[in-house]
Amino acid sequence: MTTLPDTALARPRPASTALRPVLLYLAMAVLLVGTGVLMGWNYALTVINMGLISAIMALGVNLQWGFAGLFNIGIMGFLALGGLGAVLVSMPPVADAWAAGGLRTLAGLALGVLTVVAVVAVRGRMASGRAKTLAMIAVGVVGYLVTRAVLDPGVAAIEAVNSASTGYLGGMGLPVLLSWPVGGLLAAGAAWIIGKTALGLRSDYLAIATLGIAEIILAVLKNEDWLARGVKNVIGVPSPVPQEIVLQRDPAFVARAAEFGLDPVSASTLWVKLLYLGLFAVVLLVLLTLAQLALKSPWGRMMRAIRDNEDAAEAMGKDVTRRHLQIFILGSAICGVAGAMMVTLDGQLTPGSYTPLRYTFLIWVMVIVGGSGNNWGAVLGGFLIWWLWVIVEPLGNWLFGHIISVLPPGSGLAAHLHDASAHMRLLTMGVVLLLVLRFSPRGLLPER
Amino acid sequence: MDLLNGLVAFLNFVFIPAVAYGSQLALGALGVTLIYGILRFSNFAHGDTMAFGTAMTILVTWALQSAGISFGPLPTALIALPLGIAATALLVLGTDRAVYRFYRDAKAAPVILVVASMGVMFVMNGLVRFIIGVEEIQFTDGERFIINARAFKEWSGLEEGLALRTTQLLTVVVAAIAVALLFWFLNRTRTGKSMRAFSDNEDLALLSGINPDRVVAVTWIIVAALATTAGVLYGLDKSFKAFTYYQLLLPIFAAAVVGGLGNPLGAIAGGFVIAFSEVMVTYAWKQVVAYAAPGDWMPSGLLQLMSTEYKFAVSFAILIIVLLFKPTGLFKGQSV
């Protein structure tokens, strides 16, 4: 089965020249600079930083969809796992909580894992039949009861420790930059488990399964307070760059700022954002280089061959399932890295703010608009769609402001329009996705 | 007596809510499964179609209410429902004309249609928020209870009360009528039979002179009716909120897949399987077990398998287990 749009869908387009990517990236740069000039550089840098992270997410999705045609709509879950990684690595450990129930909780979790392993072992070893089913159920139920009996008191003890400010185990107190690869590893581990179970499914079943697994991951993050405080949020995740307030107290920095004619406060916010920009840009460039190398390597060609015709690739002796698992893990790991970076940038993990529309489907819009199968396209899509996402609201306000000013004052329609401009984002994204899918299904920068 | 108390508690907190919720899910899953069977893609915009239909019905309900029209003890929204269905039918037919038809004619891979439905989901989601906002809306009126908990206690002399809300009974009755009509239509009428033929074997159906455009249009109209009815019933039973309806997509998909995508009977069974497991896994069984157990023994814990927030996780765990062990669903579904 092919997953890329049929050639019949592609309109005839002018022969793509090498100039096209350059021009499009220039146009994107003009948009960002224009945002800076019109709406302030502080705002523009915020947009660019999140744009960099979005570009990394889009790279991950492009790896799975563009290279291999895997329909993964559980991106949100992998991002959240990466964010969890940031908390687990960088937050200081809560010694009291560890003393109260740390080991007991870990033992409970180990028992839970053991239960699953035992069920799988029974499934693999025993001969099919009623006895097997009963044995699996029995092992599962007993394992569940034992796990709960060990786990629950431990969890309760941890959550009772100063629940207003901690109430969780804390992290390892390591440098936050380390959490980026760790976030990737966490996501990769989850992807391995998911891939092992779900990758054999048909495309749309895989989609629904990943959508559900993302919801499960998020439900765990929201409810297991001992792990990362749940919906009480972890705030104050350490920053890899100096804090604004420290910079403002540094006489040398204030003097340097004065040379540029800036007051210390705005100079410090700009400088911190620039430092983040540098860090994120390095990660993006490394990942982009790796992705480009992979795309051009024999491995990349094999991936696309599998995508375009699984049966033929299998007949040529390629292990389709293993290759799918491999790329599923790689793409998810990239999303995990992006998730950890996002939590680092925000300085907090807020599980309540993760919604599929924003963190799964929007990334998909980025990849499809940018050009699936083309890494440069995915990165461009990441920037462009993120920029559009943030700019649509002020733009909508401005537009509706003009419409409202024409309407008679105090009319119900005017008030309604005023409230409604906040919802323009979703509408715009949907229209952009549909238009691109229809009239330029290969995206802005098509696969070569 | 204790056993009776336990039974009443079970009926009140598990059985009645689960049956009502299951009927709503079944109607939603029927829509998903019909689209899958006849148009051959998983429609991610279905939750938002439900939200749109409900929003339209609410607007008409408000208009009726302000005109002083009511439906006696029943919610006014029932009178508004046909108009809501009509508006939704127009919307989905328009969407099909503007979006899906192009890909169908081009014989695009199903997954492209799914991506297109993601775009439609965004647009409809925005549209609903644009029209009616994001706040929670209660639009039920008329008689609130058929059986009141306190009246039941006084009448029966039991410790446990039994409450049956009008909306709960209404949900089940309306869902039953809708399903009966649907099956009569699919099995008895010419158009319904042509739809089933089209779903079974598209090429053969086309060869025997079935008009595909007509089949597609009728499918969308039925889907609009099912989605709006499901949405309005859910909104009457609980409340309307645009975001909640988007989230309903998850259990609805689970129901459709568990039953076997493309199989209407399976969708209904799947709806109840998902609803009952969600309610039963997240219900604290302490009271019921205490009544059922001999003597004054009381369980020490709440006997809750999982906390309520995990209800979506429950439906998906079931979904994944079914997919792993019986990939075509409980009833045999189709594959792309």
Side-chain angles (χ1 to χ4, degrees), chain A residues 156-227:
Chain A
I158 291 172
E159 287 173 5
V161 175
N162 194 6
S163 64
S165 64
T166 54
Y168 76 125
L169 285 175
M172 291 184 278
L174 297 172
V176 71
L177 282 184
L178 194 65
S179 76
W180 297 0
V182 170
L185 281 178
L186 263 183
W192 182 77
I193 299 175
I194 297 165
K196 271 286 183 194
T197 47
L199 271 183
L201 301 174
R202 292 193 328 250
S203 59
D204 44 347
Y205 278 3
L206 176 68
I208 296 167
T210 47
L211 185 73
I213 287 162
E215 287 296 327
I216 294 182
I217 293 176
L218 218 68
V220 170
L221 274 190
K222 279 183 186 165
N223 296 299
E224 300 304 320
D225 288 13
W226 59 271
L227 184 64

Side-chain angles (χ1 to χ4, degrees), chain A residues 144 148 202 204-205 224 416, chain B residues 36 130 305 309-310 327 335:
Chain A
Y144 174 81
R148 282 291 294 261
R202 292 193 328 250
D204 44 347
Y205 278 3
E224 300 304 320
H416 188 76
Chain B
Y36 190 87
F130 195 84
L305 287 174
E309 290 83 1
Y310 278 117
S335 51

Side-chain angles (χ1 to χ4, degrees), chain A residues 46-116:
Chain A
T46 315
V47 175
I48 293 174
N49 279 342
M50 199 54 212
L52 284 164
I53 297 183
S54 303
I56 294 176
M57 297 174 189
L59 263 186
V61 175
N62 184 41
L63 209 58
Q64 294 178 340
W65 168 247
F67 282 33
L70 289 179
F71 199 42
N72 171 13
I73 46 173
I75 316 296
M76 172 184 79
F78 297 109
L79 292 175
L81 274 179
L84 175 68
V87 168
L88 293 185
V89 167
S90 67
M91 290 305 282
V94 182
D96 291 348
W98 273 101
L103 291 178
R104 193 181 176 115
T105 305
L106 289 188
L109 289 182
L111 280 172
V113 173
L114 215 63
T115 307
V116 174

